[in-house]
Amino acid sequence: MFAPKKLALAALVTSLLVPSAQAIIKTPIFLRIAEHDYAAENRAKFKGKGKYKATVELEKGTYHFRLADKEFSCGTSFGPEAAEKIKFKTPVPVSDCATDTDFSIRILFPGEYEFTLDTKADSGNAISVMRKPKKVAVVRKPPAVDCGTWDGNAVEVNVSSVFKDGELVKDFYSGQTAEVAGGKVSMQPSKESGGLLLLEPAEAKPSDFDWDNASVYFIMTDRFNNGDTSNDYPFNRKKDGKLETGTFQGGDIKGIIEKLDYIQELGMNAIWLTPIVEQIHGFIGGGEKGSFPFYGYHGYWALDFTRLDPNFGTDEDLERLVTEAHKRGIRVVIDVVMNHAGYPTLDDMQTFDINALAPNAPVPDQWTDWVPDEKKGQNWHRYNNYIRWGSSEWAEKWWGPDWVRSGMAGYTAPGGDDITMNLAGLPDFLTESEKHVGLPPILKNKPDTRAVEREGYTVVDYLVEWHTTWVRKYGIDGFRADTVKHVEAEVWTKLKDSATKALAEWKAENPDKAIDDKPFWMVGEVWHHGAYKDFYFDHGMDSLINFDYAGEMQAVKGAQCINQNEDLYATYAKDINTDPDFNLLTYISSHDTKLFFQRYENLELQKGAANGLLLMPGGVQIYYGDESGRPAGPMSDAFDSPTRSFMNWDQLKGDRAALVAHWQKVGQFRNNHVAVGAGEHKMLSEQPYAFSRVKGDDRVVVVYAGEKK
């Protein structure tokens, strides 16, 4: 179990004079920023005259900060008169006599933030904070690491602890075989492998599937493959005619079905789909500056959990997807959201007769046709000015105060902790409520909903029923649980128990369609959770997404040469594979963080990333396009938009063909051998780097020769 990391961020002010009414700030002075209770200090210069600015990079979290100096006229700190929360772009007065008080600010999205100290403000010194827009990505060179050297000839390695003398072993990558003699085997790595040998018994048969060795292919449905152009723009959704950053782009379930053979060839034994349920119909303003219309193409802004969003397909499409995936040995995992519903939009207001527009609001007859008037300096946030957020209509016709907390009139206000906050301003379900409720007004007024009012149901009871109905009806094999730390642990236990029962019922009724007799599986997203076990595993989670590997430089080092992963491989195998109730899902790219390829745009490094990730103990998650070097999408003031580009199918027959072929080889080897993810790890030699993985009768040896001279 790893301790939380200390975050070191701060800024230095040099020779800074303030108005005579305030104390003179002398050097050295710095802005100290601490995440939660883990305080640390660094220094970076403020720049400017009168308004001094400093930029710091912040991860998600709550930060406390103050200025400090050795020679203040009153105390040694420079902060607020009383503890005060900072609102973005809002100047807050600074006192030179604040000794025990901090400013605080809550960061929801990681990125660069600019702190401005204004020494010419009307009220004296004042400080404000704003998020800096993303700049165009800079392609970097990966750090130099020691991979060892290889002369290009055959590689000899001692395999006596795994294979017997006289045993015939095969390199899965090249297909060549060799006999073990004197405890050693000698083979020539293929040119395409980059010095990699994947050794197995020559007569080895594929292992039975185990979630401990899961290889999960993560697909953002709208951005993967368009199999049916007729469903591209329901609900009057439309293109923006520009970068299409936040619009639906046509990917659907039929498109995934068309690519199941491709996914199988990658050795993937599960696919994870972003939420498939019906999304809010309209758009909100995208990014801090409202630079684009932002629809729920990603699936996380639900309107009706009982209906499939028509942009993604039909119920028949979903049924066929599960059937065809199971035929290929691929399980289907869908993303579920128990924490929040989607934002209110103009289209949904009009559709569900929420009469909360301001009088004479300049919107067209079809409200969702509204566009900002750029000549007047408007952006996509502007429509918010036309809505009466204090109207009683929101309580009467939207989700209702028994269902969600919100800042709108008639609702419970959001709290300040993970459970009761409105994450990113989204309406937060009252999952802690024990009140018996009927259907929310918006669904009562929705003619095609499948939601049924139940006697004695709480909010959680409805959410659990709605989510597990997909399992009971279609045989969904698992859930990826979104925003886990924002929902009570007991809720996840209830969801898991209900889904487990639902899948068992479906398998009993559909024995010819069931892929196996494994129980329902659930993996959780606990933001920034690392490689350790905690109470979530006692509350429904079979695995958690591991943010550690991708969050550090380790993934880059492991991609350059897998010997850099030895300590991590040994630790993960020891911690995970000796505990039947503990597993992780490790990744290098995701929709919420970054693309591995985006930082370096290096196909050779992307090839090595397959080795580092796919040979990882525990489960692994491949984000669509990791295997093909999918380029990042357009930069915007929404930090995650570049990670959600459309799949680069047109490049697969060009310079990406060899890259995909390499991922296929290593992925198939992993899928064939449960020992890779679930076995005991042992390093056999340092040069060439070699290790074994053994689980029961399944035995493999991986050899990496190093960089070729």
Side-chain angles (χ1 to χ4, degrees), residues 170-281:
K170 181 176 73 174
D171 172 27
F172 180 83
Y173 203 106
S174 65
Q176 65 184 305
T177 59
E179 188 175 287
V180 180
K184 299 180 179 180
V185 66
S186 179
M187 281 192 186
Q188 174 72 44
S190 68
K191 178 182 178 181
E192 296 76 17
S193 75
L196 190 68
L197 294 171
L198 304 174
L199 304 181
E200 62 181 4
E203 302 300 323
K205 296 181 180 179
S207 305
D208 291 335
F209 170 79
D210 194 311
W211 282 109
D212 289 343
N213 188 48
S215 298
V216 183
Y217 193 71
F218 172 27
I219 299 170
M220 181 162 282
T221 303
D222 177 65
R223 303 298 172 89
F224 187 62
N225 186 45
N226 193 344
D228 183 359
T229 58
S230 70
N231 66 7
D232 286 358
Y233 298 104
F235 302 134
N236 201 37
R237 293 166 178 164
K238 51 177 64 70
K239 294 183 178 181
D240 64 21
K242 296 182 179 179
L243 297 178
E244 308 302 338
T245 302
T247 57
F248 282 86
Q249 295 187 12
D252 48 36
I253 293 172
K254 281 186 178 179
I256 297 172
I257 294 171
E258 289 178 359
K259 299 298 183 180
L260 284 174
D261 287 342
Y262 169 83
I263 296 169
Q264 182 185 29
E265 289 168 1
L266 284 171
M268 300 296 101
N269 46 43
I271 54 174
W272 152 21
L273 308 184
T274 45
I276 59 176
V277 300
E278 184 177 329
Q279 298 295 290
I280 56 175
H281 295 179

Side-chain angles (χ1 to χ4, degrees), residues 418-475:
D418 283 336
I419 299 296
T420 63
M421 68 181 290
N422 282 139
L423 180 66
L426 289 156
D428 183 61
F429 285 125
L430 299 174
T431 49
E432 77 282 6
S433 174
E434 297 182 0
K435 183 177 181 179
H436 295 170
V437 298
L439 289 178
I442 196 169
L443 294 186
K444 281 186 178 181
N445 296 325
K446 189 171 185 290
D448 66 341
T449 187
R450 295 185 180 125
V452 178
E453 192 154 309
R454 307 291 191 190
E455 185 71 26
Y457 262 34
T458 64
V459 170
V460 165
D461 291 331
Y462 282 106
L463 291 170
V464 168
E465 177 183 293
W466 295 341
H467 285 307
T468 56
T469 294
W470 298 102
V471 180
R472 183 170 283 104
K473 188 173 181 180
Y474 298 104

Side-chain angles (χ1 to χ4, degrees), residues 102-394:
D102 288 332
F103 295 107
S104 66
I105 189 168
R106 187 172 184 84
I107 301 298
L108 295 178
F109 304 105
E112 290 187 338
Y113 289 81
E114 184 176 74
F115 290 74
T116 300
L117 182 60
D118 186 353
T119 65
K120 295 182 178 180
D122 293 340
S123 59
N125 298 311
I127 194 161
S128 60
V129 187
M130 66 174 289
R131 184 165 179 248
K132 296 189 71 174
K134 285 278 189 179
K135 298 179 180 179
V136 176
V138 177
V139 178
R140 301 170 174 85
K141 290 184 178 180
V145 296
D146 181 13
C147 295
T149 57
W150 170 43
D151 59 12
N153 296 322
V155 176
E156 185 177 75
V157 62
N158 189 323
V159 296
S160 59
S161 62
V162 183
F163 303 121
K164 298 178 181 178
D165 276 2
E167 187 172 4
L168 193 66
V169 297
K170 181 176 73 174
D171 172 27
F172 180 83
Y173 203 106
S174 65
Q176 65 184 305
T177 59
E179 188 175 287
V180 180
K184 299 180 179 180
V185 66
S186 179
M187 281 192 186
Q188 174 72 44
S190 68
K191 178 182 178 181
E192 296 76 17
S193 75
L196 190 68
L197 294 171
L198 304 174
L199 304 181
E200 62 181 4
E203 302 300 323
K205 296 181 180 179
S207 305
D208 291 335
F209 170 79
D210 194 311
W211 282 109
D212 289 343
N213 188 48
S215 298
V216 183
Y217 193 71
F218 172 27
I219 299 170
M220 181 162 282
T221 303
D222 177 65
R223 303 298 172 89
F224 187 62
N225 186 45
N226 193 344
D228 183 359
T229 58
S230 70
N231 66 7
D232 286 358
Y233 298 104
F235 302 134
N236 201 37
R237 293 166 178 164
K238 51 177 64 70
K239 294 183 178 181
D240 64 21
K242 296 182 179 179
L243 297 178
E244 308 302 338
T245 302
T247 57
F248 282 86
Q249 295 187 12
D252 48 36
I253 293 172
K254 281 186 178 179
I256 297 172
I257 294 171
E258 289 178 359
K259 299 298 183 180
L260 284 174
D261 287 342
Y262 169 83
I263 296 169
Q264 182 185 29
E265 289 168 1
L266 284 171
M268 300 296 101
N269 46 43
I271 54 174
W272 152 21
L273 308 184
T274 45
I276 59 176
V277 300
E278 184 177 329
Q279 298 295 290
I280 56 175
H281 295 179
F283 57 79
I284 64 168
E288 290 188 355
K289 296 183 178 180
S291 57
F292 58 90
F294 200 173
Y295 291 88
Y297 68 86
H298 44 67
Y300 295 97
W301 296 344
L303 185 147
D304 187 346
F305 291 95
T306 72
R307 301 290 303 194
L308 190 68
D309 195 284
N311 252 113
F312 304 145
T314 65
D315 294 344
E316 291 74 22
D317 294 337
L318 180 60
E319 182 175 18
R320 182 167 170 247
L321 171 65
V322 175
T323 299
E324 293 299 322
H326 284 179
K327 286 180 181 177
R328 293 164 174 80
I330 300 171
R331 288 124 193 100
V332 178
V333 176
I334 60 172
D335 216 319
V336 295
V337 183
M338 296 283 284
N339 177 64
H340 58 262
Y343 298 106
T345 73
L346 284 174
D347 184 272
D348 300 304
M349 289 172 64
Q350 188 173 35
T351 299
F352 299 103
D353 193 30
I354 301 173
N355 297 313
L357 274 187
N360 302 315
V363 296
D365 291 340
Q366 180 67 44
W367 295 1
T368 198
D369 287 341
W370 178 86
V371 295
D373 188 337
E374 294 181 358
K375 293 181 180 180
K376 294 182 179 180
Q378 295 181 356
N379 61 37
W380 289 93
H381 290 321
R382 180 70 178 187
Y383 77 91
N384 288 285
N385 293 9
Y386 310 142
I387 299 173
R388 294 180 293 119
W389 298 110
S391 169
S392 61
E393 294 272 321
W394 291 109

Side-chain angles (χ1 to χ4, degrees), residues 611-632:
N611 306 340
L613 178 64
L614 295 176
L615 297 173
M616 185 74 61
V620 296
Q621 170 234 295
I622 294 82
Y623 189 33
Y624 74 102
D626 275 343
E627 76 283 3
S628 59
R630 172 170 59 91

Side-chain angles (χ1 to χ4, degrees), residues 537-587:
F537 290 89
D538 297 323
H539 291 279
M541 300 301 161
D542 298 292
S543 182
L544 290 180
I545 293 173
N546 173 25
F547 285 79
D548 276 354
Y549 187 63
E552 302 295 338
M553 293 301 295
Q554 185 61 50
V556 178
K557 295 176 182 178
Q560 290 180 273
C561 43
I562 58 173
N563 60 15
Q564 299 294 311
N565 277 351
E566 170 55 32
D567 290 345
L568 182 147
Y569 283 169
T571 299
Y572 281 15
K574 177 179 178 294
D575 292 346
I576 297 171
N577 295 338
T578 59
D579 186 342
D581 299 319
F582 178 38
N583 209 330
L584 297 171
L585 200 63
T586 301
Y587 71 95

